[in-house]
Every structure is written in structure tokens, then in C-alpha cells.
Amino acid sequence: MTDSVTLPALYRLLAFLSPAFPIGAFTYSHGLEQVIDAGGVTDPAELSAWLEDILRYGAGRSDAILMKETRRAALLSDKDRLEELRDLGLALQPTKERHLETSAQGTAFFEQAAKSWMPDDDTPAGELFRLMTEQKIDPWPYPVALGLVSAAHAIPEQAAVTAYLHAFAANLISVAVRAVPLGQSDGQKVLAGLEQVIFDVAGQAAASGLDGLGTSTFLADIASMAHETQYSRLFRS
């Protein structure tokens, strides 16, 4: 179960995590392009297994915790905590390309939200968002920017985190559809099969604090490192 989502909050959540929101998500593969090139993911079953590990034990879970912690700090208008989470979100990235992936998307998201989706209500989170836009601080890690903006727009925690994980998985599936290649139907079957995984990770994030941060997806990190020098590539990470 999750808190009910008002129609305005639902509308904004759909907009923020739509592939049409201009953050360039389609240009990042999270190292998956290198894995595909090396023959590590060749079919839907291998893709599903790879993504489940990323969600449960990698960046999916860690980003969900960061997003949740940021949202809660923003609701309290805790600027110091927000800045600590912003720095932590950048410091946790294991490679140059993963740092680019989160910082480029996060900064683009923050700037676009500030231009087009400034909240109307004078809530503590809304005021904090306005304050951060005035200070023009960057870069922003993507889950931290999402956490701040979702709080400013009164989007419930579990809905926001679940939607983020869905968008994250869907984007990587799109990478595989293009690069393996897989059929569109195969891609949708993989996404459907990850439904309970995403629910589980969102629930774990809600119950975890910063001491629960950490990943054990070493092959994904190594793939990201190798992708930096991959000769021919379609994606930035």
C-alpha cells in the first residue's frame, strides 16, 4: 500500500519521469552497452537477471534510499541535510561515467523543474526548492534532485520512489532493445517481470537509512570502467 496520490501530484510525477522530460536519459546505459558488447547479455532472461541485480544490490537500491532521504529532509526544510545528501550522491559514484550519468541528468532535471515546474504552495519543501534555485548550486545527483522536487510538489514517497525505479529499469530495457537487439515485446515482458522486484526495492528503501547504502554489483562497476575506453559506442555510459 502507498499513500493516495492526488491528481495534480500524479500529473507532475508522470511528467517528471516521462522519457520526454529533457534530461537525456536515453543517452546513458549504466555500463550495459559494454556488457552487451562483451556477450554478457544476449537475451531477455539474461537482461532480466542483470537488471534485477542492479535494482536489488546496485544503484537502484542506493538511489532509492538517497531519494527517500532527500525527500524527508526537504519536508523539514533541512538545507544542511540536503547539501550533505547532494555531496554524498556524487561521492558514491564508482566511475567517471557513472558520475556523469547521475550529475548530468540530475542537474538537467533540477534546472528544468526550476524553469517550468516551480511549486505554487508555500510549503517548507517548496521554499527550500526556491532557495536552492536562487543559489544556483550544481551539479545535482539525479535521485537527490528528484527527492527535492517530489517533496516540493507533495508527491507521496512510495509513489515517487516506485516511479523512479520503474523509469530507471525501463530506460535500461530500452538500451537492450536497441543494442542486443531485443524485440519491443521482449522488452515489455522483462519490465513486467520486474514489477515485484521494484516493489520490494521501494519498500526496502523506505525502511533503510543512510547506513543501508552500499552496492555489491562489481561487474556493473567494472563494465562502466571498461565502457570509458570502448572503441565504438552509442551511449555515454
Side-chain angles (χ1 to χ4, degrees):
M1 295 294 291
T2 185
D3 294 335
S4 59
V5 184
T6 65
L7 282 178
L10 176 61
Y11 187 87
R12 294 168 192 185
L13 180 59
L14 291 171
F16 295 153
L17 291 168
S18 164
F21 203 84
I23 62 171
F26 65 93
T27 64
Y28 299 96
S29 82
H30 205 74
L32 181 57
E33 182 178 28
Q34 196 282 328
V35 176
I36 293 169
D37 188 67
V41 169
T42 62
D43 58 35
E46 291 175 346
L47 174 63
S48 181
W50 183 268
L51 293 182
E52 181 171 352
D53 282 352
I54 296 295
L55 289 164
R56 289 192 184 278
Y57 312 115
R61 179 176 175 276
S62 289
D63 284 357
I65 294 172
L66 280 172
M67 184 178 175
K68 179 265 299 185
E69 288 290 317
T70 302
R71 184 184 176 281
R72 293 185 182 182
L75 291 175
L76 298 173
S77 196
D78 191 338
K79 180 175 178 290
D80 291 340
R81 177 73 163 175
L82 174 64
E83 291 178 342
E84 290 174 0
L85 289 165
R86 174 184 162 274
D87 292 342
L88 179 60
L90 295 170
L92 286 174
Q93 303 310 310
T95 70
K96 177 181 178 181
E97 287 194 354
R98 290 273 291 281
H99 187 280
L100 173 67
E101 181 177 298
T102 195
S103 62
Q105 291 185 86
T107 303
F109 177 83
F110 181 86
E111 291 176 349
Q112 190 60 52
K115 291 176 182 176
S116 307
W117 294 92
M118 188 63 68
D120 298 326
D121 298 334
D122 293 328
T123 63
E127 290 295 332
L128 181 58
F129 179 47
R130 288 189 185 88
L131 175 63
M132 301 311 292
T133 61
E134 292 167 0
Q135 293 188 355
K136 299 186 184 301
I137 298 172
D138 58 69
W140 284 87
Y142 188 32
V144 173
L146 275 169
L148 173 57
V149 174
S150 67
H153 286 277
I155 299 171
E157 179 180 297
Q158 283 299 92
V161 172
T162 301
Y164 166 70
L165 292 170
H166 174 277
F168 176 71
N171 188 64
L172 295 186
I173 289 169
S174 176
V175 170
V177 167
R178 286 174 279 169
V180 170
L182 299 179
Q184 296 283 353
S185 294
D186 285 334
Q188 286 303 306
K189 288 176 183 177
V190 171
L191 185 60
L194 292 173
E195 179 177 306
Q196 190 58 51
V197 174
I198 287 174
F199 292 164
D200 290 346
V201 174
Q204 291 166 9
S208 300
L210 293 182
D211 57 350
L213 286 172
T215 65
S216 57
T217 48
F218 304 114
L219 290 179
D221 296 343
I222 292 169
S224 178
M225 296 174 193
H227 190 266
E228 292 181 19
T229 56
Q230 186 169 322
Y231 176 70
S232 177
R233 59 187 191 173
L234 299 173
F235 301 94
R236 299 182 72 188
S237 72

